[in-house]
Amino acid sequence: MATPKRGKQYTRYGTKEFTFETDMGFETKFMKSGEVRALVVAQTSEMAGNMVKAAPRGPHATTDAYSIKKNIHPYVEQVGDEWVGYIVVEENDRARHAMLQERGYRDPAGRRHAGRFYLRSVLQKERVE
């Protein structure tokens, strides 16, 4: 009886025209490519644009820089071996509270203000099932 080989074992299978070896790492090369980065940038910026459209308008007649619509930004960075897209809501700490508008809140007088769930609705529209 032969002893098993030590070290990294590779699997090789395929048809007459194509041979697949698991040690090739084509998934990693593909996920690091510029085409995947462009796709992630496009999807992330489209989703951020939809969030900006759905965001409530604020009572900012003179200081529009603090409104929610002006504080939604997409970012794409490489994490490990793949590109990841992030959408940052309310990066400016002086901006109106976006999550209070999303989930609802109670004002100082104790009245309940219902949430608008604009971020949740955009995420639900963009999900893949």
Side-chain angles (χ1 to χ4, degrees), residues 8-12 20-27 29:
K8 193 171 187 179
Q9 300 295 313
Y10 301 117
T11 304
R12 184 181 172 131
F20 178 78
E21 296 181 11
T22 57
D23 66 325
M24 289 173 56
F26 77 93
E27 298 99 343
K29 292 177 186 173

Side-chain angles (χ1 to χ4, degrees), residues 109-123:
R111 290 184 301 265
R112 173 83 178 126
H113 297 268
R116 298 183 182 186
F117 298 105
Y118 61 96
L119 297 174
R120 180 179 167 198
S121 66
V122 171
L123 290 173

Side-chain angles (χ1 to χ4, degrees), residues 28-100:
T28 303
K29 292 177 186 173
F30 177 72
M31 293 304 285
K32 286 184 175 181
S33 69
E35 291 85 4
V36 171
R37 182 184 186 281
L39 180 65
V40 171
V41 167
Q43 290 293 102
T44 305
S45 60
E46 180 183 346
M47 187 181 294
N50 291 339
M51 287 183 176
V52 168
K53 287 179 190 174
R57 298 185 65 178
H60 302 287
T62 59
T63 58
D64 197 36
Y66 299 138
S67 70
I68 296 171
K69 290 180 179 281
K70 300 286 185 181
N71 287 288
I72 296 176
H73 305 287
Y75 294 103
V76 175
E77 69 179 10
Q78 190 170 7
V79 177
D81 292 336
E82 57 191 27
W83 293 101
V84 178
Y86 299 103
I87 298 176
V88 178
V89 178
E90 200 176 283
E91 189 174 39
N92 183 353
D93 59 351
R94 295 186 64 191
R96 191 165 66 139
H97 298 291
M99 294 312 292
L100 291 179

